[in-house]
């Protein structure tokens, strides 16, 4: 499932070809994805100008001139791919329609944005612009990790004293937006915190120290274009590369990358998800 860095990478890829441009034609090729698609979705989008592209947690929000916002979640296999425009040094022609091209946007610049989703776990919705904070999928999401509301005092107040493992606490989207399995594992390893340790047994100083670590991990992942595991691609079809910098995630049985540590990366299951950590240097 794409996490914050992957979604932010997609947003940045879409920005130069969508923002300020008109959706000349929107084609909706099926009635549903994970949920039913909005009524008259193609009609409501066709002819509208894109006035902004935003990200909230793991969701994309595309504001349009009609006063509505298109909410997009990529799901497990969803891709937003660009064709028919210059991307770096290459010119991408429109490919032949593929089996799982469910929604297609033709822009006035000649660019085409195609939402392809083989497993159909993605979703799209249309909502009044400015009402995203009340949408059922967004209403209870916590602060953005790069925002001013996410700081040391906030995290200490939310997590200290809780009888919940550190890994589970950081996965809670009500605490901080956008963190998923990959980047929580990487964050806890850098912070030297055992993912099994309950938050009530971690000092306030160590909890506060998670804030800059979270930001560093996410910032590095964004700069690397995200992590490509299974289906994720950037908007130009290229892979993200942060997976090559993983310290623990998906490295079961490999040596720990902490300098001076002779531990071996271990995998356990927490809340139905794989957790990777070093039992030697994470306490």
């Amino acid at each position: 499932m794409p996490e914050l860095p992957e979604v932010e990478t997609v947003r940045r890829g879409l920005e130069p070809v969508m923002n300020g441009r008109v959706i000349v034609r929107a084609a909706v090729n099926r009635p549903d994805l994970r949920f039913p698609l909005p009524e008259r979705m193609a009609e409501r989008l066709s002819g509208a100008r894109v006035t902004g592209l935003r990200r909230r947690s793991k969701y994309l929000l595309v504001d349009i001139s009609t006063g509505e916002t298109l909410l997009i979640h990529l799901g497990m296999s969803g891709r937003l791919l660009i064709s028919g425009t210059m991307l770096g040094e290459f010119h991408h022609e429109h490919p032949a329609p593929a089996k799982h091209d469910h929604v297609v946007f033709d822009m006035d610049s000649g660019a085409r944005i195609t939402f392809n989703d083989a497993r159909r776990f993605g979703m799209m919705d249309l909502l009044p612009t400015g009402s995203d904070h009340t949408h059922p999928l967004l209403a209870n999401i916590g602060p953005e990790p790069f925002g001013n509301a996410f700081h040391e005092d906030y995290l200490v107040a939310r997590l200290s004293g809780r009888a919940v493992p550190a890994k589970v606490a950081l996965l809670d989207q009500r605490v901080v937006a956008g963190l998923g399995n990959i980047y929580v594992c990487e964050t806890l390893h850098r912070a030297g915190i055992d993912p099994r340790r309950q938050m009530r047994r971690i000092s306030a100083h160590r909890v506060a120290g998670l804030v800059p670590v979270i930001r560093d991990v996410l910032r590095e992942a964004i700069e690397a274009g995200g992590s490509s595991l299974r289906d994720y691609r950037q908007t130009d079809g290229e892979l993200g590369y942060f997976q090559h910098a993983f310290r623990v995630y998906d490295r079961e049985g490999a040596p720990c990358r902490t300098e001076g540590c002779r531990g071996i990366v271990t995998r356990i299951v927490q809340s139905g998800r794989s957790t990777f950590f070093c039992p030697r240097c994470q306490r």
Side-chain angles (χ1 to χ4, degrees):
M1 189 77 71
E3 301 179 26
L4 186 155
E6 289 75 43
V7 179
E8 178 62 19
T9 298
V10 170
R11 189 199 68 78
R12 294 183 182 189
L14 293 173
E15 179 86 27
V17 296
M18 288 194 80
N19 199 13
R21 293 292 186 174
V22 172
I23 303 172
V24 175
R25 176 177 177 269
V28 179
N29 299 326
R30 60 174 302 110
D32 57 5
L33 293 169
R34 187 185 355 154
F35 308 122
L37 291 169
E39 293 183 4
R40 301 184 298 105
M41 178 174 165
E43 178 185 341
R44 291 159 71 181
L45 292 173
S46 295
R49 184 179 297 277
V50 175
T51 59
L53 288 98
R54 299 177 285 131
R55 179 195 53 75
R56 181 71 172 108
S57 185
K58 305 173 187 179
Y59 295 85
L60 284 169
L61 296 101
V62 182
D63 299 325
I64 57 176
S65 56
T66 59
E68 291 191 297
T69 293
L70 177 65
L71 178 67
I72 304 173
H73 191 274
L74 298 175
M76 295 182 68
S77 62
R79 306 177 187 179
L80 282 163
L81 299 173
I82 300 170
S83 61
T85 188
M86 297 299 293
L87 294 172
E89 300 178 356
F90 302 97
H91 185 78
H92 290 237
E93 299 295 341
H94 298 318
K99 178 180 179 181
H100 302 294
D101 291 351
H102 303 311
V103 181
V104 180
F105 307 108
D106 284 314
M107 311 302 293
D108 63 349
S109 63
R112 174 175 292 169
I113 296 96
T114 301
F115 182 73
N116 179 283
D117 187 1
R119 304 184 193 182
R120 299 204 308 272
F121 288 146
M123 60 78 60
M124 291 188 180
D125 197 6
L126 280 167
L127 55 143
T129 300
S131 69
D132 37 284
H133 63 286
T134 64
H135 191 280
L137 295 174
L138 304 177
N140 296 316
I141 294 178
E144 292 288 326
F146 294 117
N148 292 334
F150 184 69
H151 49 76
E152 287 82 355
D153 290 343
Y154 163 81
L155 196 62
V156 169
R158 284 302 306 266
L159 296 185
S160 291
R162 291 186 58 186
V164 60
K167 166 79 178 299
V168 176
L170 290 180
L171 283 176
D172 187 346
Q173 295 298 293
R174 296 170 297 181
V175 173
V176 56
L179 284 183
N181 204 33
I182 294 173
Y183 300 109
V184 170
C185 287
E186 292 296 302
T187 292
L188 290 173
H189 181 258
R190 292 196 189 191
I193 294 175
D194 190 316
R196 301 166 297 183
R197 183 175 290 276
Q198 292 193 353
M199 294 305 307
R200 63 182 179 178
R201 300 187 181 279
I202 302 174
S203 70
H205 175 75
R206 297 187 77 194
V207 174
L210 285 167
V211 171
V213 177
I214 288 170
R215 288 175 172 162
D216 286 346
V217 168
L218 294 177
R219 189 176 294 111
E220 291 172 24
I222 291 169
E223 291 173 355
S227 303
S228 289
L229 297 172
R230 301 180 178 89
D231 298 301
Y232 170 70
R233 296 291 188 278
Q234 300 180 58
T235 52
D236 58 1
E238 293 297 317
L239 301 173
Y241 295 101
F242 189 71
Q243 70 274 13
H244 301 300
F246 285 166
R247 297 192 183 191
V248 287
Y249 190 83
D250 206 29
R251 297 188 64 245
E252 181 182 9
C256 176
R257 287 179 169 169
T258 298
E259 186 175 356
C261 180
R262 296 182 180 180
I264 301 297
V265 176
T266 298
R267 184 184 75 87
I268 60 173
V269 176
Q270 291 179 290
S271 301
R273 301 183 185 184
S274 293
T275 294
F276 299 89
F277 71 108
C278 174
R280 185 182 183 98
C281 68
Q282 290 179 248
R283 302 294 182 182

